[in-house]
């Protein structure tokens, strides 16, 4: 039997690729099959009558939000980043985000635009495992996560601590196991720890072990089923890659919008918080990223990069002005959300760098 991809079916029928995937998952395209992370469809299949009633239409339009708290998450800068979306250029039909993190920009874009292809990646294996778990089997994930919420919420503080640290130990145990398959227990633990730890941080030591203590939230939302299911739908045709940002090069072309949100360069000696993995991201890595940006700029891609502004503390520090000298640099207001000293939290400048 001759088959075509969901992308080809979308072009053939004049509907979005996401809608084709939804029709496949609903069993409304006979003999459609899931192969890896994509659907294949008989080439002779006819476009099904779109029988969505109002409930499905509303769900399709519901906004989605990040399922994790994330240090440096872009929720607060979203309005400024939105001003740089290049999708009015009708040729920009692909999106890449190689430092996915909490995904605030990704989910905003998936809520607003129908794109041909989307690529996300991160070097944090546990983060990528969680994205894949939500995409591939959100019910399997919820089956692990919901009991954690039901256990944690009603118990007192000392029992909570005991339960939290038991789950943290289990998470670190699973981190050490090589597993090419999606690990739904580890994904559920990732979300549980994120929602119940101090400030929702993800931090590891040099051995790669998660070491954030329990937070003080009274009634955290641990298993947001409605949002998880909405996120799962939007992720159906997203290519989710565990790896370095440089692996995105083969995906990126002149029809691609690329957003880079790397670990920020610390603006003070005490402000360093780049330990999302056991690997450092220092000035050498920042320069290599700038060189990569120049490389894909030559491909004709539209690019936006965010980072901290060194001029917050040293007006003469031109580090980013120099390494991104051929691009446009915009300084925008942001809030410092993570500091042990509350008096040092407040408005600072961050950078939005673009090649257009």
């Amino acid at each position: 039997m001759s088959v075509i991809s969901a992308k080809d079916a979308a072009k053939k029928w004049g509907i979005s690729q996401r809608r084709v995937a939804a029709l496949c998952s609903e069993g409304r395209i006979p003999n459609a099959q899931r192969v890896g992370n994509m659907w294949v469809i008989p080439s002779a299949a006819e476009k099904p009558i779109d029988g969505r009633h109002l409930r499905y239409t509303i769900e399709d339009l519901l906004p989605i939000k990040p399922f994790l708290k994330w240090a440096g998450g872009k929720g607060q800068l979203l309005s400024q980043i939105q001003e740089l979306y290049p999708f009015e250029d009708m040729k920009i039909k692909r999106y890449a985000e190689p430092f996915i993190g909490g995904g605030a920009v990704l989910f905003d874009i998936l809520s607003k635009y129908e794109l041909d292809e989307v690529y996300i990646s991160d070097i944090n294996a546990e983060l990528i495992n969680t994205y894949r778990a939500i995409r591939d089997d959100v019910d399997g994930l919820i089956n692990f996560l919901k009991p954690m919420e039901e256990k944690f919420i009603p118990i007192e503080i000392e029992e909570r601590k005991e339960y939290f640290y038991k789950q943290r130990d289990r998470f670190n145990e699973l981190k050490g196991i090589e597993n090419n398959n999606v690990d739904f227990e580890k994904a559920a633990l990732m979300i549980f720890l994120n929602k119940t730890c101090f400030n929702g941080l993800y931090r590891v030591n040099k051995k790669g072990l998660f070491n954030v203590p329990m937070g003080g939230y009274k009634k955290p939302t641990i298993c947001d089923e409605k949002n998880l299911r909405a996120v799962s739908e939007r992720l159906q045709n997203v290519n989710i890659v565990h790896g370095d940002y440089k692996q995105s090069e083969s995906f990126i072309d002149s029809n691609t919008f690329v957003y880079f949100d790397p670990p920020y360069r610390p603006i003070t000696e005490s402000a360093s918080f780049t330990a999302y993995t056991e690997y450092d991201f220092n000035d050498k890595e920042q320069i290599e990223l700038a060189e990569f940006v120049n490389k894909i700029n030559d491909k004709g891609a539209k690019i936006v990069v965010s980072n901290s502004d060194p001029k917050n503390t040293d007006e003469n520090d031109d580090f980013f002005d120099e390494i991104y000298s051929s691009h446009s640099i915009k300084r925008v207001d942001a809030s410092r959300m993570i500091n042990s000293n509350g008096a040092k939290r407040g408005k600072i400048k961050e950078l939005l760098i673009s090649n257009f």
Side-chain angles (χ1 to χ4, degrees):
M1 178 177 63
S2 174
V3 296
I4 57 176
S5 66
K7 179 181 177 181
D8 290 336
K11 290 180 179 178
K12 177 181 176 182
W13 295 335
I15 59 177
S16 72
Q17 187 175 341
R18 191 173 77 197
R19 185 61 193 146
V20 172
L23 292 168
C24 289
S25 63
E26 292 167 6
R28 298 182 52 210
I29 302 178
N31 298 314
Q33 295 183 3
R34 190 74 180 264
V35 178
N37 8 354
M38 64 180 290
W39 286 98
V40 294
I41 297 157
S43 56
E46 296 184 1
K47 177 183 176 181
I49 296 172
D50 197 336
R52 288 181 291 178
H53 49 66
L54 183 60
R55 180 172 66 88
Y56 287 112
T57 304
I58 291 173
E59 285 180 352
D60 282 350
L61 296 176
L62 277 177
I64 52 177
K65 61 185 179 181
F67 55 87
L68 295 174
K69 301 176 183 180
W70 205 251
K74 289 300 167 289
Q76 61 168 318
L77 286 184
L78 203 51
S79 60
Q80 291 100 319
I81 297 172
Q82 287 168 348
E83 294 174 4
L84 296 171
Y85 288 171
F87 298 112
E88 289 185 7
D89 180 347
M90 296 305 293
K91 78 169 189 175
I92 302 298
K93 298 293 292 181
R94 308 170 90 226
Y95 178 65
E97 190 171 341
F99 296 89
I100 187 58
V105 176
L106 168 75
F107 295 137
D108 185 57
I109 287 173
L110 290 179
S111 294
K112 294 177 177 176
Y113 303 98
E114 296 288 357
L115 301 175
D116 289 342
E117 293 181 90
V118 177
Y119 173 106
I120 64 173
S121 67
D122 205 282
I123 200 169
N124 184 323
E126 284 65 47
L127 177 65
I128 290 300
N129 176 69
T130 307
Y131 274 93
R132 287 175 174 166
I134 293 172
R135 179 194 65 188
D136 295 350
D137 186 357
V138 69
D139 288 322
L141 172 68
I142 289 171
N143 286 341
F144 276 103
L145 186 60
K146 190 66 175 176
M148 294 181 191
E149 180 179 65
E150 292 171 347
K151 171 69 175 177
F152 185 82
I153 296 299
I155 58 180
E156 298 298 327
I157 183 68
E158 291 304 317
E159 287 183 279
R160 280 189 171 192
K161 286 182 179 178
E162 182 180 352
Y163 185 76
F164 174 88
Y165 290 110
K166 180 180 179 181
Q167 302 311 309
R168 194 178 77 171
D169 288 344
R170 176 59 176 163
F171 179 70
N172 283 327
E173 178 186 341
L174 292 174
K175 276 176 105 288
I177 300 173
E178 293 291 334
N179 187 354
N180 293 325
N181 298 317
V182 175
D183 189 324
F184 293 98
E185 181 187 3
K186 183 163 62 172
L189 286 166
M190 176 86 169
I191 296 174
F192 169 80
L193 293 171
N194 177 265
K195 299 295 187 178
T196 57
C197 74
F198 176 75
N199 271 357
L201 302 181
Y202 186 89
R203 184 189 65 204
V204 298
N205 59 25
K206 287 295 182 182
K207 294 181 179 179
L209 299 179
F210 181 78
N211 63 0
V212 182
M214 191 180 86
Y217 304 107
K218 291 184 179 179
K219 195 175 180 181
T221 301
I222 295 169
C223 185
D224 186 345
E225 289 191 47
K226 186 176 181 179
N227 187 60
L228 286 171
R229 294 185 191 282
V231 168
S232 179
E233 181 194 354
R234 295 314 197 278
L235 290 178
Q236 285 306 300
N237 292 298
V238 175
N239 188 14
I240 304 174
V241 175
H242 171 227
D244 183 87
Y245 68 89
K246 294 175 184 176
Q247 291 180 218
S248 66
E249 183 179 356
S250 61
F251 174 86
I252 296 166
D253 62 15
S254 61
N255 300 315
T256 310
F257 171 43
V258 191
Y259 173 54
F260 292 101
D261 184 31
Y264 274 20
R265 185 177 188 246
I267 57 177
T268 66
E269 288 296 322
S270 61
S272 179
F273 185 81
T274 58
Y276 304 117
T277 71
E278 58 270 36
Y279 306 104
D280 292 328
F281 203 93
N282 297 317
D283 281 1
K284 174 179 175 291
E285 287 73 28
Q286 297 285 1
I287 292 169
E288 289 177 353
L289 173 60
E291 292 170 347
F292 183 77
V293 167
N294 290 334
K295 188 175 185 179
I296 63 170
N297 174 70
D298 293 339
K299 286 188 164 193
K302 300 289 188 182
I303 306 163
V304 172
V305 184
S306 53
N307 218 305
S308 60
D309 185 1
K311 293 183 181 294
N312 283 296
T313 54
D314 183 356
E315 185 60 35
N316 297 315
D317 191 335
D318 294 323
F319 179 77
F320 287 117
D321 296 83
E322 291 175 355
I323 67 173
Y324 289 106
S325 59
S326 60
H327 304 299
S328 172
I329 300 178
K330 181 179 181 181
R331 288 177 161 85
V332 298
D333 288 326
S335 296
R336 184 198 304 273
M337 301 302 293
I338 298 174
N339 196 302
S340 57
N341 184 345
K344 293 184 179 181
R345 299 176 187 174
K347 291 293 183 183
I348 59 170
K349 293 290 185 182
E350 291 189 7
L351 304 179
L352 290 178
I353 302 156
S354 66
N355 68 338
F356 54 92

